[in-house]
Amino acid sequence: MNGLKHTLKKFWIQDNEKGRVRKEKGEDMDMRVGIIGYGRIAHKHVEAIKANGDKLIAVCDVDPQRLTLLDETVLRFSDLESFLFQKIKLDLIAICTPSGTHAEIALKCIENGYSVLVEKPMALSISDADAIIASAKHYGVKVGVCHQNRFNLSAQILKKALQNQQLGTISHASIHVLWNRRDAYYKQASWRGTWAMDGGCLMNQCIHGIDFLLYMIDEEVTSVFGQIANRQHPDMEVEDVGMAIIQFCNGVIAIIEGTSNVYPENLEETFYIFGDQGTVKLGGLSLNEIKHWKVNQDESQICEEMVENEYGNGHQALYQDMKAAILDNRSPSIDAKEGKKALEVILAIYRSSREHRPVFFPLRQFSTLEMKNQNKIHNTATIDKNVQIGLNTKIWHYTHIQKNARIGNDCVIGQNVNIGPSVQIHDRVKIQNNVSVYEGVELHNDVFCGPSVVFTNVKKPRSSYPKQNYEKTIVHQGASLGANATIVCPRQIGKWSFIGAGSVVTKDVLDYALMVGNPARQIGWVCECGERLNEDLICPSCHQSYVRTGKNIIKKDQG
């Protein structure tokens, strides 16, 4: 272990000119560290602090039982406000709390003037990650993110080879995180396996491997196409398996495979990279071993760094780098901008899976919370490119959503429905089986289309003549179109109107109008609740009153 410590120091805290001057002036320091959250991962931080000769000064945790495990010399706090109020002299605060709290706590520490080292993931949304980056700059403090596998000896050997272009032109790469997490793991804490506080196997278990991939390729991501699923943890909200294809701006393609479903225990974490002058495979529990090395006919590289678990040995070098960043007034090697990269890829995978399309970078806004009410899209449905589908929308068997269509939140699209190119469907729309919503048709909020409703979008269709311009039909809020109704373009269908089954609409329809027949004619008025109004324009069901205004009626409380 001493040899490893020396090697890591050689890579990361070299005795450069700045370091030599500091030592001559007696400015080298024992870093004073505080920890917020004394759970599963905090012990790796304590080991690193002690191994580097630094000092653990204070710990904050909401569970008083955990605080009893501390040395008597360590200050103890049971809430964050008390911890920050004391204004303890600290060089660094490590944040080891549940994932969903990382951003909020980091921002509070930064605002109080503390440099922070945040466990992965640094946040669960793009906006929170951006806020940490901006806040660190504003308050002039250092922010590091715990992606310790970058500090592995095997990682540094490969990184150096890539920087020297020893592998030649890179074709592609892949990361495979094949681990096991059973129900007992998720039952340890209520926040695990939730969209609000955790994310699934990609965000929790695989984020280190994804960061490793991005570190090695070291190019901007242009697009991500991904799919996630929950196959073995039905009581959990989030994914237990996820796969994705990443495209980089230099043409490199990479594959991500992550799962917590491997039986009966963690198998390995494996990274492959392929160039025209080299092939490398790293493996082991935390990418700590060189499994295969053929680079420019050099087969001599061997690295089998011993690790106790999947956390690896990198925390010690991580703390050394943070200390050097503070002393030299430079950015940490894995600063907030670097920490955001893996987060952005994972959020893009989530979004891609939800919307069934590639996601192009940069990802402006997205959060794990947006996955809480996922769409249910049947595997026989066809979703074309550049389709936008809102939250909690259901799309059933053999339906086709064509390019550039926009579908809102909480919609239900039935079986064998066709949504044409560039069609706009707003929120809470229900479309029953065998309906075609052609280009030029727009359905506003709360519209109902019964089975086999027919829209037209051309006045004089001829198959042997060039396509005419599509006519516009707008169905306004709350309108109901009965089964087999036909809407002859161009039309304005008034809000909360009701078109009877089999009717053929050839004229614009007033708000609240009740229409029947072929051609459709108005025979009365309907309430927003769907009941036919009495002659006095009072609903017999909900008792809502309406009043006349010209040819129309409006709700009485709107008059």
Side-chain angles (χ1 to χ4, degrees):
M1 193 64 192
N2 288 335
L4 171 62
K5 181 177 177 181
H6 173 76
T7 303
L8 291 172
K9 281 189 173 182
K10 179 182 176 183
F11 275 112
W12 292 102
I13 313 296
Q14 293 183 13
D15 190 16
N16 55 21
E17 184 63 21
K18 284 186 178 180
R20 184 184 63 78
V21 171
R22 281 202 314 269
K23 289 175 182 178
E24 288 178 357
K25 292 182 177 181
E27 294 177 355
D28 209 10
M29 69 174 184
D30 292 332
M31 190 162 58
R32 295 167 59 88
V33 183
I35 295 178
I36 301 175
Y38 201 65
R40 181 184 177 105
I41 192 61
H43 302 287
K44 293 295 295 184
H45 289 255
V46 174
E47 289 174 5
I49 293 165
K50 291 181 178 179
N52 287 333
D54 295 320
K55 296 179 180 179
L56 178 61
I57 302 298
V59 171
C60 177
D61 196 289
V62 295
D63 185 351
Q65 289 297 114
R66 291 176 177 172
L67 298 176
T68 62
L69 303 174
L70 293 165
D71 187 282
E72 291 182 358
T73 61
V74 178
L75 298 174
R76 309 171 194 187
F77 298 88
S78 58
D79 67 274
L80 181 61
E81 298 304 322
S82 298
F83 180 89
L84 295 176
F85 180 78
Q86 293 295 322
K87 295 292 183 182
I88 306 165
K89 184 179 178 182
L90 298 172
D91 301 299
L92 182 69
I93 294 177
I95 299 172
C96 304
T97 55
S99 299
T101 65
H102 287 175
E104 181 182 2
I105 294 173
L107 288 169
K108 287 183 178 180
C109 292
I110 293 167
E111 290 165 5
N112 279 272
Y114 291 109
S115 292
V116 296
L117 179 60
V118 188
E119 265 295 340
K120 57 80 185 169
M122 64 181 291
L124 294 180
S125 70
I126 295 295
S127 59
D128 280 347
D130 288 340
I132 291 172
I133 294 168
S135 188
K137 182 178 180 181
H138 177 75
Y139 289 96
V141 300
K142 310 303 178 188
V143 175
V145 182
C146 292
H147 287 303
Q148 66 272 8
N149 285 352
R150 292 193 187 190
F151 294 89
N152 291 352
L153 182 56
S154 56
Q156 292 308 304
I157 293 171
L158 175 56
K159 185 67 174 178
K160 185 177 180 181
L162 289 168
Q163 289 172 336
N164 293 335
Q165 299 184 330
Q166 290 177 250
L167 276 70
T169 300
I170 303 302
S171 166
H172 61 288
S174 63
I175 183 72
H176 309 269
V177 184
L178 309 177
W179 287 0
N180 169 282
R181 293 293 184 271
R182 292 301 165 204
D183 290 339
Y185 168 82
Y186 295 102
K187 290 177 180 177
Q188 289 176 355
S190 60
W191 62 271
R192 293 190 184 280
T194 65
W195 288 119
M197 294 293 289
D198 191 14
C201 65
L202 293 178
M203 188 68 80
N204 196 317
Q205 283 75 45
C206 306
I207 189 169
H208 287 306
I210 293 169
D211 173 77
F212 194 93
L213 167 69
L214 299 174
Y215 176 55
M216 291 302 170
I217 302 302
D218 197 23
E219 293 283 349
E220 295 292 325
V221 175
T222 58
S223 67
V224 169
F225 186 85
Q227 185 66 51
I228 63 172
N230 185 319
R231 299 291 297 163
Q232 296 182 9
H233 299 83
D235 295 331
M236 186 175 70
E237 292 180 353
V238 297
E239 87 282 358
D240 57 19
V241 59
M243 298 187 184
I245 299 174
I246 301 180
Q247 180 79 54
F248 292 88
C249 66
N250 63 349
V252 171
I253 298 171
I255 295 172
I256 293 171
E257 176 190 18
T259 184
S260 56
N261 292 341
V262 174
Y263 178 86
E265 58 188 13
N266 287 359
L267 180 59
E268 64 179 356
E269 186 171 3
T270 309
F271 175 76
Y272 294 88
I273 189 164
F274 303 92
D276 61 0
Q277 298 295 318
T279 297
V280 174
K281 173 186 177 182
L282 303 187
L285 279 176
S286 60
L287 300 175
N288 52 293
E289 301 176 16
I290 295 177
K291 296 285 190 179
H292 180 90
W293 184 280
K294 288 191 176 181
V295 177
N296 283 327
Q297 301 180 345
D298 175 13
E299 301 181 34
S300 62
Q301 290 290 359
I302 297 174
C303 178
E304 295 183 356
E305 182 181 329
M306 298 301 295
V307 297
E308 295 180 357
N309 50 44
E310 64 270 23
Y311 299 135
N313 299 324
H315 279 87
Q316 184 179 346
L318 190 65
Y319 271 85
Q320 292 171 356
D321 180 69
M322 285 299 300
K323 179 191 287 189
I326 293 168
L327 286 171
D328 294 339
N329 193 27
R330 63 163 173 83
S331 292
S333 297
I334 311 173
D335 62 10
K337 289 182 179 179
E338 284 295 301
K340 178 187 171 184
K341 291 180 178 180
L343 170 69
E344 186 175 13
V345 166
I346 294 167
L347 290 175
I349 295 171
Y350 288 161
R351 183 170 183 175
S352 176
S353 179
R354 193 190 75 176
E355 298 179 3
H356 292 258
R357 66 176 182 88
V359 171
F360 297 95
F361 275 45
L363 183 61
R364 298 297 182 188
Q365 292 293 338
F366 201 74
S367 164
T368 54
L369 284 175
E370 296 184 50
M371 298 297 294
K372 193 169 179 63
N373 294 316
Q374 291 190 65
N375 302 316
K376 295 183 178 178
I377 301 176
H378 196 269
N379 58 18
T380 61
T382 300
I383 312 296
D384 286 356
K385 293 182 179 180
N386 297 322
V387 168
Q388 291 186 6
I389 300 173
L391 295 175
N392 203 31
T393 285
K394 300 176 178 63
I395 299 175
W396 294 106
H397 308 63
Y398 304 108
T399 284
H400 186 188
I401 313 296
Q402 296 189 50
K403 64 181 181 180
N404 301 318
R406 302 291 183 266
I407 300 175
N409 301 319
D410 301 300
C411 295
V412 178
I413 312 297
Q415 179 175 316
N416 198 37
V417 171
N418 178 66
I419 307 297
S422 302
V423 164
Q424 293 188 52
I425 295 174
H426 296 222
D427 296 339
R428 300 178 301 280
V429 173
K430 294 184 178 179
I431 301 177
Q432 303 291 77
N433 298 347
N434 305 311
V435 176
S436 289
V437 185
Y438 295 119
E439 186 172 355
V441 177
E442 182 174 355
L443 307 181
H444 284 202
N445 293 347
D446 305 298
V447 166
F448 175 86
C449 295
S452 302
V453 164
V454 175
F455 292 96
T456 68
N457 62 356
V458 177
K459 284 185 176 180
K460 300 173 183 178
R462 293 290 195 188
S463 63
S464 59
Y465 283 79
K467 181 174 69 176
Q468 304 173 44
N469 292 329
Y470 294 130
E471 301 285 349
K472 186 75 174 177
T473 290
I474 299 178
V475 184
H476 291 277
Q477 182 179 10
S480 292
L481 313 182
N484 294 294
T486 299
I487 312 300
V488 179
C489 67
R491 289 283 75 83
Q492 296 282 332
I493 308 298
K495 66 181 183 181
W496 303 107
S497 60
F498 200 107
I499 312 300
S503 299
V504 178
V505 177
T506 59
K507 296 181 180 179
D508 290 349
V509 176
L510 298 174
D511 297 347
Y512 302 103
L514 174 60
M515 309 290 292
V516 297
N518 181 9
R521 67 190 189 281
Q522 184 177 354
I523 63 170
W525 304 97
V526 290
C527 179
E528 287 185 9
C529 74
E531 287 287 342
R532 184 172 182 173
L533 298 177
N534 296 329
E535 291 185 2
D536 56 5
L537 300 181
I538 297 175
C539 177
S541 177
C542 71
H543 308 296
Q544 173 65 52
S545 297
Y546 295 78
V547 295
R548 296 185 185 276
T549 171
K551 293 182 179 181
N552 297 299
I553 66 171
I554 60 173
K555 291 171 70 172
K556 192 171 184 179
D557 55 11
Q558 293 178 343

